[in-house]
Amino acid sequence: MPTGLLTAGAIATLLAAPLSTHNPSVITNPPPDKIVIEVATVNGSGCPAGTAAVAVSPDNTAFTVTYSDYLAQVGVGSKPTDFRKNCQLNLNVHVPQGFTYAIAAADYRGYAKLEPGASGTEKASYYFQGSPVTTPSSHTFKGSYEDNWQATDSVPIAALVWAPCGELRNFNINTELRVNAGTSDPTKTTSFMTMDSTDGSLKTIYHLAWKECPARS
């Protein structure tokens, strides 16, 4: 099992298509049974084996992805390929019977040190297996900058994309960090961006919305 953490919230928002025939109301109380999230595969330069893991919140309203070696950088001490790092997580998500879910919001956190003229970008996209629908997001930070960073993606209720009731589809989360030297001098300085905090762990939290599936006749 990888060591990074993924929150259950992100998975639901990116389903192939909203439920059109049966569209039950969003419920405020999550189902009491546990969500089970299994990491099918994890690939990418930002999440080498053993550096990414998934954990579900006790109240079933979110899941967290934690990375321990997700860093992009340019400048002194960097390799030519270090300016971009990425990670693709493929998850099996088992939800309580009779319910479906959607990703309502995602919180990304990390640390960045960007020289004047440099910039760093965090990108994310989500999709369900077999679905042509992809939900992308992007956040850019400009130097000079030396601090923790946080970016939040929120989805209006009317725009939520729900997982199909009664179907099990793997959920994919693709993330990327990219650092651009811009007008800074990479021969004398180093700029970097991590998907983690000063305590050494990156936490990305995905918040879930829930609906009850229509009863089968």
Side-chain angles (χ1 to χ4, degrees):
M1 167 74 71
T3 60
L5 301 177
L6 288 165
T7 63
I11 295 179
T13 315
L14 298 175
L15 249 128
L19 300 176
S20 55
T21 305
H22 302 285
N23 191 21
S25 299
V26 175
I27 60 176
T28 56
N29 296 321
D33 296 339
K34 289 183 178 181
I35 306 169
V36 178
I37 299 178
E38 300 170 346
V39 178
T41 59
V42 54
N43 294 294
S45 55
C47 52
T51 66
V54 180
V56 180
S57 68
D59 61 0
N60 286 346
T61 62
F63 69 93
T64 301
V65 182
T66 301
Y67 305 95
S68 60
D69 191 22
Y70 203 155
L71 179 148
Q73 61 180 349
V74 294
V76 179
S78 302
K79 299 176 183 177
T81 56
D82 285 347
F83 77 98
R84 176 186 177 273
K85 294 295 178 72
N86 76 294
C87 183
Q88 175 168 328
L89 294 152
N90 182 276
L91 307 176
N92 295 322
V93 182
H94 305 269
V95 299
Q97 186 173 0
F99 292 89
T100 185
Y101 62 94
I103 299 175
D107 299 325
Y108 296 90
R109 296 183 179 89
Y111 187 84
K113 181 181 182 299
L114 304 171
E115 294 292 326
S119 63
T121 301
E122 174 269 326
K123 295 182 179 181
S125 62
Y126 322 90
Y127 64 94
F128 285 91
Q129 183 179 15
S131 169
V133 177
T134 300
T135 302
S137 68
S138 178
H139 302 274
T140 297
F141 301 83
K142 296 184 180 298
S144 62
Y145 188 98
E146 186 172 359
D147 203 348
N148 294 315
W149 63 267
Q150 178 174 340
T152 298
D153 300 328
S154 297
V155 181
I157 293 296
L160 291 176
V161 181
W162 300 90
C165 284
E167 294 185 24
L168 178 60
R169 296 189 187 180
N170 282 19
F171 182 72
N172 294 278
I173 300 175
N174 294 328
T175 56
E176 174 184 319
L177 292 180
R178 186 185 293 259
V179 177
N180 188 327
T183 58
S184 67
D185 186 350
T187 66
K188 298 179 180 179
T189 63
T190 302
S191 294
F192 68 87
M193 186 173 185
T194 70
M195 194 112 57
D196 67 10
S197 59
T198 52
D199 62 4
S201 64
L202 155 83
K203 293 184 178 179
T204 299
I205 301 176
Y206 298 90
H207 304 275
L208 297 175
W210 290 94
K211 284 184 180 182
E212 290 191 60
C213 291
R216 295 184 177 181
S217 57

